[in-house]
Amino acid sequence: MKGKSTKAAFWIVAWVLVLCLWSSAAPSIVFPLYATDWHLSKSTTTGIFAMYPIAIIFVLVMVGNISDYIGRRMTLMIGLIFLLFGAVVFALAPNLHWLFVARALQGFGVGLTSGAGAAALVEFNPTSNTKFPGSINTITQAVGVFIALILGAILIKYEPFPLHLSYWVLFLLIFVSIILCLFLPKNQTSRSGSKSNWKPAGIKIPKGLWGIYLLAALAVGIGFAYGGIFLSLGAQIARDVVGTKDILVIGMVLSILSVLIAVGATIAGRMSPLPSIRVGTLLIGSTLVILVMASEMHSFILFVISSITGGLGYGFSVTGGIGLAAMYASPENKAQFLSSVFVVSYLFQGASAFGGGLASTAYGFSYAIWMLSIVVGSIALITLLSTLMINKKMVYAK
């Protein structure tokens, strides 16, 4: 049993990850306002969204292992500082160019915190359940997105300055969180005394673990790809399908996804990684079929059902993927291995978001949803088949 200080550290890190996903999702509910007020196309708004995973990938590839050298606490604090600046730039943004800068700053911040935070959750795990950190990691994503959508919608509808106020609230919370990080242990890693030997991370997979890595990356990536579709286009899809311009109604509909992510992650936390990934990929594949039907039939009920099944699928698939990666990550390379998994995942997210924006601008929402469903559904099928092909003895040996 670990001490109270370690338990407190675990939940501080979990809160930081909530705030990171809150930051990343905050612009999603505002995208329709940007599009209307500034006359932006769907490809432009999704391009703003895609700047985020591009920045994350850059950070993960270049410095994804930095917390193995300077410690988790310092890395998390640096990441939060980037998010702080991102919130300020969003809050003051007078035009489109500022949005791209703000989104890049958010990507740098989340890129630094995602791998370090995932590794810190494993190290500060207050239970004997090795799958618990992966479950909490996924739940923090759900909670962060849920707060961003609901609180963002409320601030837009009922308060002044709809394009700016939510970011000032975020700024205040990030500032408080930086102070909280001062109370984290100065955890020492096997490399913490060799900071001068640091070099760019890249993607380095230990010998014999390529199968584990690819499966974990696909499992997390398929969830992120589906999440990218919803966060970049969801508010506009809801307006088209649901037929309402009420931002609070749209926020509530989209928040269903995040609630069910938490439910799926909680259940998946009690399962072994492979069964969790299988359930997740099956649910995501089914969700894409339902989403196409909702779009074609303009059905509110089917759209809500797709949010439910998609959230559950995301929770199962991402939790299983993170759990699988954490199971095999060695202590001295934990952050780097997890960061390598996230590189592929965010690549999927950026490609699905921007690809959907381009397709919807050129051919309309219906075509975009069809295209994304076929591509993402095919990857889900590949991931499912991979769980059947991988050497099960490798997975359950740990």
Side-chain angles (χ1 to χ4, degrees):
M1 184 66 67
K2 298 190 177 182
K4 291 183 179 180
S5 62
T6 303
K7 292 181 180 179
F10 180 89
W11 293 112
I12 289 174
V13 174
W15 163 249
V16 169
L17 292 177
V18 167
L19 199 58
C20 289
L21 269 295
W22 181 347
S23 298
S24 71
S28 299
I29 196 69
V30 192
F31 279 155
L33 294 183
Y34 289 134
T36 300
D37 293 359
W38 294 356
H39 308 290
L40 305 179
S41 67
K42 297 179 183 69
S43 60
T44 300
T45 56
T46 53
I48 297 168
F49 180 90
M51 178 60 68
Y52 162 77
I54 290 172
I56 290 179
I57 291 171
F58 175 80
V59 172
L60 292 178
V61 170
M62 295 304 296
V63 294
N65 62 342
I66 193 67
S67 73
D68 288 330
Y69 293 83
I70 68 174
R72 315 301 184 208
R73 185 178 76 165
M74 181 62 70
T75 306
L76 290 173
M77 291 178 68
I78 294 173
L80 285 171
I81 290 171
F82 273 105
L83 292 177
L84 193 74
F85 285 126
V88 171
V89 175
F90 261 123
L92 299 176
N95 56 49
L96 173 65
H97 305 294
W98 283 52
L99 300 185
F100 279 99
V101 173
R103 202 62 175 145
L105 288 170
Q106 285 187 332
F108 292 145
V110 175
L112 285 166
T113 56
S114 59
L121 288 180
V122 174
E123 292 168 358
F124 298 146
N125 183 4
T127 74
S128 58
N129 181 0
T130 58
K131 296 185 287 295
F132 183 67
S135 178
I136 293 298
N137 196 331
T138 309
I139 291 173
T140 62
Q141 298 174 33
V143 174
V145 172
F146 177 82
I147 296 174
L149 295 175
I150 292 297
L151 183 60
I154 292 173
L155 292 175
I156 288 171
K157 183 171 183 178
Y158 296 113
E159 298 296 336
F161 315 114
L163 292 180
H164 309 288
L165 184 59
S166 61
Y167 299 118
W168 287 120
V169 173
L170 199 55
F171 170 87
L172 178 61
L173 292 172
I174 294 171
F175 181 79
V176 172
S177 298
I178 292 173
I179 296 175
L180 282 176
C181 283
L182 293 173
F183 296 94
L184 290 175
K186 292 183 178 179
N187 54 303
Q188 300 294 318
T189 69
S190 62
R191 296 184 175 187
S192 60
S194 305
K195 297 178 186 178
S196 61
N197 294 328
W198 176 85
K199 57 183 179 180
I203 298 179
K204 297 180 181 178
I205 311 304
K207 185 178 180 180
L209 291 185
W210 269 100
I212 295 295
Y213 167 71
L214 291 175
L215 179 54
L218 283 172
V220 179
I222 195 65
F224 276 36
Y226 175 72
I229 296 171
F230 247 73
L231 290 178
S232 63
L233 290 173
Q236 296 180 62
I237 291 175
R239 293 179 76 171
D240 180 63
V241 173
V242 178
T244 179
K245 294 184 178 180
D246 190 319
I247 195 67
L248 186 56
V249 172
I250 293 174
M252 292 177 67
V253 171
L254 295 181
S255 68
I256 294 173
L257 173 76
S258 58
V259 172
L260 271 297
I261 288 175
V263 173
T266 301
I267 299 172
R270 301 176 180 273
M271 300 170 61
S272 296
L274 284 183
S276 177
I277 294 171
R278 288 177 188 138
V279 172
T281 52
L282 284 171
L283 284 170
I284 289 175
S286 302
T287 295
L288 295 169
V289 174
I290 298 171
L291 186 61
V292 168
M293 294 172 61
S295 175
E296 293 296 318
M297 300 169 62
H298 293 271
S299 171
F300 171 75
I301 294 176
L302 288 177
F303 186 71
V304 171
I305 292 173
S306 72
S307 298
I308 294 172
T309 57
L312 288 171
Y314 185 112
F316 278 101
S317 187
V318 173
T319 299
I322 293 175
L324 186 63
M327 185 183 295
Y328 282 89
S330 60
E332 64 273 14
N333 293 297
K334 195 182 300 294
Q336 185 173 12
F337 191 67
L338 290 169
S339 293
S340 297
V341 169
F342 286 129
V343 166
V344 176
S345 304
Y346 282 112
L347 179 62
F348 280 16
Q349 185 182 79
S352 64
F354 189 55
L358 288 176
S360 61
T361 298
Y363 304 106
F365 265 127
S366 180
Y367 178 88
I369 293 173
W370 269 101
M371 181 198 74
L372 289 170
S373 296
I374 291 172
V375 173
V376 177
S378 297
I379 299 173
L381 178 59
I382 292 171
T383 307
L384 176 61
L385 293 176
S386 297
T387 66
L388 303 175
M389 297 170 59
I390 196 168
N391 185 346
K392 295 182 181 180
K393 292 182 179 179
M394 272 186 80
V395 177
Y396 294 110
K398 290 243 173 177

